[in-house]
C-alpha cells in the first residue's frame, strides 16, 4: 500500500527503535518476568518496571499505578465491570464512544438497571455544552462519567478536565478512554480528576499490538474480573490485593512491553506535542482542501485545535465504502470506511446507514501524501 492513512486503527509504520526492541527481546530476552530468580528474568522485570514509569510520566500521573492488559478493550472491561455498581446508578458518556465502552455499559445496564445519559454535544458545531452538562449533573448526579479522550470517528477532543471537574463535585468516578489521545494530548492534572485512564500501545503510543492497560490514581477500588496466576502471592486462592498484580493475570507480554518501552522513549525524544502538532497540521490542510468540494461533508469543529489527526467525511454521490474501495484500488491509499466500531457516534452524526470515510494521520505521513489524497478525491468527485 503506497499511502497508509488508517492510523486511527493502528499507527503504521512503527518507529525503527520499536521494531528493533521487539526483535531484540525475542532474540535475547523473551523470558517470563516475575517468575524466576535468574538474570534474564530480573532484566525482564526491570524493563516492565521502567515501562510503567515511562507511561505514567507521559500521561502526567505523578503517583499513579500502571496496569497492563493485552488490549484496551480488555482494560476497559476490567475498569467498567470492576466498578461496584448499584441499581439506578447514573452513568454519563460522550455520544462518540467506541463499542469497547458502549457494549460493556450495555451489559452493566442489563445487570444493574443503570441509566446511561449522553453528555450534551451539538452535532452541527461539535461543541460540548458544559453549562447544560452542569445542569444535568445537578438534576441527576453521576455515579460515573466515561469519556473518550479523542473520538476515533472524527478526532474531536473531549474537554475531559472541564467535564471531570463538574463530575468530581458529586464524587463521581471518572474514566477516560485514551486510546486515540494519550500520550499526544496529555491532561494537565489527571491525578485528581481522572480515576482511570485507558491507553492502547498500538495506536497513539506507536508501540506494538498486544500491550495496553490503564493508569489509576488508586482512589477507587475495582473488583478483578479475571483470575489466575500472577507470579506472586501464589499461596492465595483469591487474587492478591497488591496492585498491579490484582488486575494482571497470566504471563506478562515482555515482547510487546519492550516495544512500548522504546516507543515511549521515541515519543519523549520527538516530543508528544510535536507529534500532535504534526498530525494537526495535516488535518488542517486536508480539512481545508476537502471543504472546497461542494458535494462532500467533513465532520469537524471549526476550531481545528479541538481535533487530533483523525477526520471523517462523506460524499453525496458515493457511499463511504465505495470511496474507500476506489481510494484503495485506483490510488493505493488506505483509509477506513464504515462505522469504525462506534455506531453511537454515527447515529449522532447522522451517518449510521453507511458510515464515513475516516482518514487517520501519524507522524510518518507527509503533506505530499495528503495532496495525493486530495487529488484522488478530486478525481473521484469531479
Ligand atoms: C477510542 C477507542 N477505544 C477503544 C478501542 C479498542 O482498542 P483495541 O481494539 O486495541 O482493544 C479503540 C480501537 O479502535 C478506539 O479507537
Amino acid at each position: 500500500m503506497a499511502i497508509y492513512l488508517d492510523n486511527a486503527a493502528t499507527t503504521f509504520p512503527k518507529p525503527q527503535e520499536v521494531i528493533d526492541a521487539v526483535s531484540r527481546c525475542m532474540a535475547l530476552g523473551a523470558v517470563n518476568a516475575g517468575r524466576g530468580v535468574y538474570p534474564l528474568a530480573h532484566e525482564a522485570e526491570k524493563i516492565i518496571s521502567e515501562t510503567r514509569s515511562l507511561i505514567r510520566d507521559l500521561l502526567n500521573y505523578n503517583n499513579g499505578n500502571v496496569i497492563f492488559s493485552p488490549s484496551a478493550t480488555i482494560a476497559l472491561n476490567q475498569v467498567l465491570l470492576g466498578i461496584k455498581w448499584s441499581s439506578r446508578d447514573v452513568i454519563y458518556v460522550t455520544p462518540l464512544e467506541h463499542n469497547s465502552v458502549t457494549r460493556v455499559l450495555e451489559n452493566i445496564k442489563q445487570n444493574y438497571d443503570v441509566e446511561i445519559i449522553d453528555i450534551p454535544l451539538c452535532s452541527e458545531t461539535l461543541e460540548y455544552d458544559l453549562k447544560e452538562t452542569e445542569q444535568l449533573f445537578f438534576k441527576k448526579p453521576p455515579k460515573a462519567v466515561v469519556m473518550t479522550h479523542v473520538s476515533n470517528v472524527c478526532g474531536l477532543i473531549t474537554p475531559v478536565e472541564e467535564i471531570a471537574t463538574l463530575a468530581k463535585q458529586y464524587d463521581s468516578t471518572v474514566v477516560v478512554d485514551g486510546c486515540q489521545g494519550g500520550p499526544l494530548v496529555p491532561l494537565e492534572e489527571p491525578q485528581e480528576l481522572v480515576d482511570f485512564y485507558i491507553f492502547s500501545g498500538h495506536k497513539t503510543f506507536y508501540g506494538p499490538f498486544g500491550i495496553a492497560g490503564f493508569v489509576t490514581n488508586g482512589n477507587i477500588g475495582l473488583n478483578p474480573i479475571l483470575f489466575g496466576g500472577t507470579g506472586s502471592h501464589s499461596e492465595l486462592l483469591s487474587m492478591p490485593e497488591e496492585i498491579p498484580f490484582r488486575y494482571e493475570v497470566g504471563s506478562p507480554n515482555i515482547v510487546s512491553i519492550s516495544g512500548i518501552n522504546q516507543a515511549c522513549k521515541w515519543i519523549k525524544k520527538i516530543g508528544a506535542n510535536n507529534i500532535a502538532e504534526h498530525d494537526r497540521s495535516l488535518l488542517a490542510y486536508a480539512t481545508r482542501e476537502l471543504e472546497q468540494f461542494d458535494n462532500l461533508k467533513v465532520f469537524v469543529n471549526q476550531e481545528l485545535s479541538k481535533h487530533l489527526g483523525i477526520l471523517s467525511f462523506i460524499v453525496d454521490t458515493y457511499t463511504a465504502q465505495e470511496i474507500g474501495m476506489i481510494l484503495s484500488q485506483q490510488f493505493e491509499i488506505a483509509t477506513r470506511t464504515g462505522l469504525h466500531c462506534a455506531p453511537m457516534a454515527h447515529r449522532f452524526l447522522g451517518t449510521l446507514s453507511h458510515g464515513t470515510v475516516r482518514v487517520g494521520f501519524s507522524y510518518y505521513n507527509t503533506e505530499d501524501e495528503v495532496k495525493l489524497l486530495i487529488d484522488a478525491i478530486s478525481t473521484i468527485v469531479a
Side-chain angles (χ1 to χ4, degrees):
M1 186 59 62
I3 300 178
Y4 180 80
L5 297 176
D6 194 18
N7 288 285
T10 192
T11 45
F12 179 80
K14 306 297 182 190
Q16 190 57 45
E17 292 91 322
V18 174
I19 300 167
D20 291 345
V22 167
S23 54
R24 195 168 51 243
C25 179
M26 279 301 282
L28 301 175
V31 301
N32 214 325
R35 280 125 172 106
V37 290
Y38 49 91
L40 271 183
H42 288 316
E43 185 53 33
E45 274 168 55
K46 242 174 70 191
I47 292 171
I48 293 177
S49 152
E50 183 189 60
T51 309
R52 290 192 208 278
S53 41
L54 284 164
I55 291 172
R56 202 168 35 228
D57 237 45
L58 279 171
L59 295 177
N60 270 350
Y61 278 79
N62 304 327
N63 307 305
N65 281 300
V66 172
I67 286 126
F68 287 125
S69 66
S71 73
T73 303
I74 294 173
L76 279 160
N77 271 266
Q78 169 56 75
V79 170
L80 296 175
L81 296 175
I83 293 173
K84 292 155 188 131
W85 301 106
S86 307
S87 124
R88 293 204 290 277
D89 277 341
V90 179
I91 306 171
Y92 287 86
V93 292
T94 78
L96 303 174
E97 298 304 319
H98 189 275
N99 268 342
S100 50
V101 167
T102 41
R103 284 183 174 165
V104 184
L105 291 183
E106 184 57 30
N107 176 276
I108 291 165
K109 187 174 173 184
Q110 280 166 19
N111 287 326
Y112 292 95
D113 193 26
V114 296
E115 187 177 3
I116 300 172
I117 301 176
D118 274 359
I119 297 168
L121 171 65
C122 173
S123 59
E124 281 306 309
T125 60
L126 292 187
E127 199 62 50
Y128 279 94
D129 189 334
L130 296 178
K131 269 267 157 288
E132 203 186 326
T133 306
E134 189 173 11
Q135 284 161 14
L136 273 175
F137 285 2
F138 178 71
K139 276 191 223 138
K140 290 192 174 188
K143 156 84 178 185
V145 177
V146 185
M147 298 176 265
T148 186
H149 192 175
V150 174
S151 160
N152 73 310
V153 173
C154 61
L156 184 71
I157 300 171
T158 308
V160 161
E161 278 142 321
E162 287 91 329
I163 296 170
T165 303
L166 297 174
K168 280 296 174 195
Q169 291 173 19
Y170 302 91
D171 281 336
S172 166
T173 300
V174 174
V175 179
V176 173
D177 171 0
C179 282
Q180 303 285 355
L184 304 187
V185 196
L187 299 172
E188 293 289 319
E189 289 179 30
Q191 188 82 30
E192 298 304 318
L193 293 176
V194 179
D195 302 296
F196 303 100
Y197 190 97
I198 287 78
F199 64 90
S200 162
H202 71 91
K203 293 181 189 278
T204 38
F205 260 96
Y206 288 80
F209 284 106
I211 192 68
F214 62 94
V215 190
T216 171
N217 57 17
N219 291 349
I220 289 155
L222 294 175
N223 292 322
I225 63 156
L226 294 170
F227 301 86
T230 54
S232 67
H233 308 284
S234 295
E235 70 288 358
L236 296 175
L237 279 183
S238 54
M239 289 299 282
E241 293 292 328
E242 197 183 339
I243 313 281
F245 308 112
R246 191 162 177 74
Y247 309 113
E248 286 182 356
V249 282
S251 305
N253 186 343
I254 185 62
V255 178
S256 294
I257 292 175
S258 299
I260 197 175
N261 177 296
Q262 284 303 316
C264 290
K265 290 174 182 167
W266 175 82
I267 289 171
K268 275 170 169 271
K269 186 178 76 184
I270 307 279
N273 193 42
N274 293 331
I275 299 171
E277 279 315 309
H278 171 85
D279 295 357
R280 250 192 221 111
S281 78
L282 296 184
L283 175 102
Y285 174 37
T287 303
R288 270 197 313 272
E289 294 295 322
L290 288 173
E291 283 183 333
Q292 304 297 319
F293 301 115
D294 290 337
N295 46 355
L296 186 152
K297 178 174 166 66
V298 192
F299 295 90
V300 277
N301 183 309
Q302 281 313 305
E303 265 182 78
L304 289 179
S305 59
K306 294 187 173 173
H307 288 257
L308 198 57
I310 302 173
L311 68 82
S312 255
F313 68 90
I314 50 172
V315 176
D316 287 350
T317 41
Y318 291 94
T319 64
Q321 281 76 4
E322 285 166 341
I323 297 282
M325 288 287 280
I326 301 169
L327 283 173
S328 166
Q329 290 174 1
Q330 290 185 25
F331 299 94
E332 291 191 67
I333 298 176
T335 57
R336 171 91 179 267
T337 59
L339 300 185
H340 320 105
C341 296
M344 293 307 172
H346 288 281
R347 193 181 63 176
F348 176 75
L349 295 171
T351 50
L352 193 56
S353 54
H354 293 290
T356 55
V357 183
R358 182 182 74 181
V359 175
F361 299 113
S362 94
Y363 191 67
Y364 291 105
N365 291 123
T366 61
E367 242 179 66
D368 286 347
E369 290 179 326
V370 179
K371 183 166 183 335
L372 288 170
L373 170 75
I374 303 301
D375 291 347
I377 299 285
S378 164
T379 310
I380 297 168
V381 301

